[in-house]
Amino acid sequence: MIYVAGISISLFISALLLNKKNKSKFDRILLVWMLLLAVHLFLFYVNFTPPFFRTPSLLGIEIPLPLIHGVLLYYYVAVVTRQFPKRTWLALLHLAPITIGYLLLIPIFSTTSSQKVVFYQNGFEGYELFMKLGLHLIFVSGIIYVLWCSVLLQKHKKNIRNQFSDLDDISLNWLQFLVYSLGVIWSIVIFTNNDAYIFAGVSVFVILIGFFGVQQRTIFTRPVPSTAAVNKGVDDKKKYERSGLKDEVAEAIYTKMMHLFTKERYYKKNDLSLLELASDLEIHPNYLSQIINEREKKTFYELVNSFRLEEFKRMLSEEKHKQFTLLALAYECGFNSKSSFNRYFKKNTGKTPSQFVKALTASS
């Protein structure tokens, strides 16, 4: 049965995370989430599939549980992308609804197993308003957290362009999978409100987490390398108002940086990062990001790759480079992969490299 498979894989994933060395904060969040998913699936399986109420003493525990899944998704995404609240009380505030829910259910928990069964059979008599409000809160929380996590991902995508010159090794597929999959489950919750469909969806979700996570390898075996940026979006002009960076210092750093790019062709380092450049320029990465954003109106990624693109065009026009393939020239210019080269070239010229060469040949 699919519920048993979901429970088993949740526990299996939990075991993998538990045995993972050097567990990070987001590893621990994922571990707690997998354990709670196993508990949630178990409670549904033993009490709400035939024969019903096999463990009546556990009835009631499952009622507020849906409120925790959106919170844990948010915690996980926020920690991985380094957008988690700095104040602990703000983070704990997200747990208020589920905490209140359990406190209000204390009278139910204190009854006997047979009384709990009667309570369920009578349609939650005395708790009708609680159940109705709780259901609507579950709907709203699911929508809010999925949308919120989507916004965090979009911010993160912008941020990494201020940190790295190549994005091919920075995969957001895992986070996107978690957010979009939970979005699908919440759609099932909202549009069907059918427990069988909902928990079947949760079981499939857990199974896919196991499959996708094992493919990723780093999720369950090694620490996931951080790709989050420290700075915020490049369009926010207010972020640098209190940076303390003086104009003359900024100008000197900018001049030195442009010398590295134009004279020493520093951009040819295919794994170049903002941190490395900042270290060579002896300046804090945040200041360097500010200088690039304000003076070039570009992200670090865009700046470095614009130099690489111009260098590629220059080399392409020289007779001595005709013997080399386009990809070889791209690597020589600092591009790290065929896909990143083709993607950036097409975005900035409107043509593929091959089309650009053909047009260049036709015009000469």
Side-chain angles (χ1 to χ4, degrees):
M1 186 177 285
I2 193 169
Y3 306 125
V4 176
I7 295 167
S8 302
I9 293 177
S10 295
L11 294 175
F12 174 68
I13 293 171
S14 300
L16 290 177
L17 289 167
L18 197 60
N19 290 321
K20 183 177 179 179
K21 295 181 180 179
N22 302 319
K23 284 189 285 293
S24 62
K25 187 175 182 179
F26 46 82
D27 288 327
R28 291 191 287 271
I29 292 171
L30 188 59
L31 171 60
V32 171
W33 193 10
M34 289 300 103
L35 288 173
L36 286 176
L37 280 171
V39 170
H40 204 168
L41 283 168
F42 173 77
L43 292 173
F44 174 76
Y45 175 64
V46 296
N47 283 325
F48 301 100
T49 60
F52 299 100
F53 304 133
R54 278 165 280 181
T55 57
S57 60
L58 299 178
L59 285 172
I61 296 176
E62 81 290 343
I63 294 176
L65 268 181
L67 293 171
I68 196 64
H69 301 304
V71 175
L72 290 174
L73 173 69
Y74 163 68
Y75 281 175
Y76 187 84
V77 172
V79 168
V80 172
T81 62
R82 293 188 182 178
Q83 299 178 74
F84 198 76
K86 293 181 180 179
R87 298 177 181 177
T88 305
W89 69 268
L90 278 176
L92 294 177
L93 198 61
H94 293 271
L95 299 175
I98 190 171
T99 303
I100 294 171
Y102 277 113
L103 290 174
L104 293 174
L105 286 171
I106 288 177
I108 304 300
F109 297 144
S110 61
T111 60
T112 63
S113 296
S114 58
Q115 288 175 319
K116 289 178 182 178
V117 172
V118 171
F119 174 70
Y120 273 72
Q121 290 174 336
N122 289 340
F124 308 103
E125 186 177 355
Y127 277 78
E128 292 89 351
L129 180 60
F130 171 84
M131 297 299 294
K132 186 175 182 179
L133 291 177
L135 183 61
H136 284 86
L137 183 58
I138 289 170
F139 291 167
V140 172
S141 70
I143 294 171
I144 288 175
Y145 281 112
V146 168
L147 291 178
W148 195 347
C149 290
S150 297
V151 170
L152 293 182
L153 276 180
Q154 291 304 314
K155 286 184 178 179
H156 186 54
K157 286 180 181 179
K158 292 180 180 179
N159 288 344
I160 58 179
R161 289 177 176 269
N162 263 350
Q163 295 287 314
F164 302 97
S165 62
D166 186 86
L167 307 181
D168 271 17
D169 292 333
I170 304 171
S171 175
L172 299 180
N173 291 341
W174 170 247
L175 293 179
Q176 290 173 337
F177 164 76
L178 291 178
V179 174
Y180 299 155
S181 295
L182 207 62
V184 170
I185 292 175
W186 240 277
S187 297
I188 297 172
V189 172
I190 294 169
F191 293 112
T192 71
N193 197 22
N194 183 302
D195 285 346
Y197 293 156
I198 294 168
F199 283 93
V202 172
S203 298
V204 171
F205 172 60
V206 170
I207 292 169
L208 290 176
I209 283 179
F211 176 76
F212 195 75
V214 168
Q215 280 193 325
Q216 296 279 297
R217 292 186 180 180
T218 55
I219 303 299
F220 300 140
T221 55
R222 301 191 301 276
V224 180
S226 173
T227 59
V230 176
N231 52 312
K232 298 179 182 178
V234 298
D235 296 327
D236 188 0
K237 296 180 180 179
K238 294 182 179 180
K239 70 176 179 177
Y240 298 130
E241 286 182 355
R242 300 180 183 178
S243 70
L245 183 63
K246 296 181 179 179
D247 288 341
E248 57 269 24
V249 175
E251 182 62 32
I253 294 296
Y254 177 72
T255 301
K256 187 176 179 181
M257 179 187 72
M258 295 307 288
H259 175 81
L260 286 177
F261 281 127
T262 57
K263 302 299 182 183
E264 299 185 26
R265 298 177 183 176
Y266 193 82
Y267 51 84
K268 286 194 172 186
K269 295 183 178 183
N270 58 19
D271 58 350
L272 181 62
S273 68
L274 182 78
L275 188 63
E276 181 183 359
L277 178 58
S279 177
D280 288 345
L281 292 172
E282 299 180 339
I283 188 174
H284 193 280
N286 284 359
Y287 285 152
L288 180 57
S289 180
Q290 174 183 346
I291 292 169
I292 294 172
N293 296 166
E294 288 184 340
R295 295 176 183 262
E296 288 291 324
K297 308 301 180 185
K298 296 176 181 177
T299 63
F300 174 74
Y301 170 83
E302 291 166 341
L303 175 67
V304 175
N305 284 289
S306 65
F307 275 99
R308 289 172 177 171
L309 181 59
E310 291 306 311
E311 176 69 4
F312 174 82
K313 291 178 181 179
R314 185 192 66 78
M315 293 179 72
L316 196 63
S317 64
E318 296 180 349
E319 189 64 33
K320 63 181 179 179
H321 295 125
K322 298 292 184 182
Q323 59 181 311
F324 298 106
T325 65
L326 298 181
L327 188 58
L329 292 179
Y331 285 146
E332 177 64 23
C333 295
F335 288 102
N336 203 28
S337 69
K338 182 179 180 179
S339 60
S340 63
F341 167 60
N342 287 338
R343 183 169 55 250
Y344 189 82
F345 196 98
K346 180 70 179 291
K347 181 179 179 181
N348 286 271
T349 66
K351 299 182 178 70
T352 64
S354 299
Q355 291 170 337
F356 182 83
V357 171
K358 287 180 181 178
L360 194 65
T361 304
S363 61
S364 61

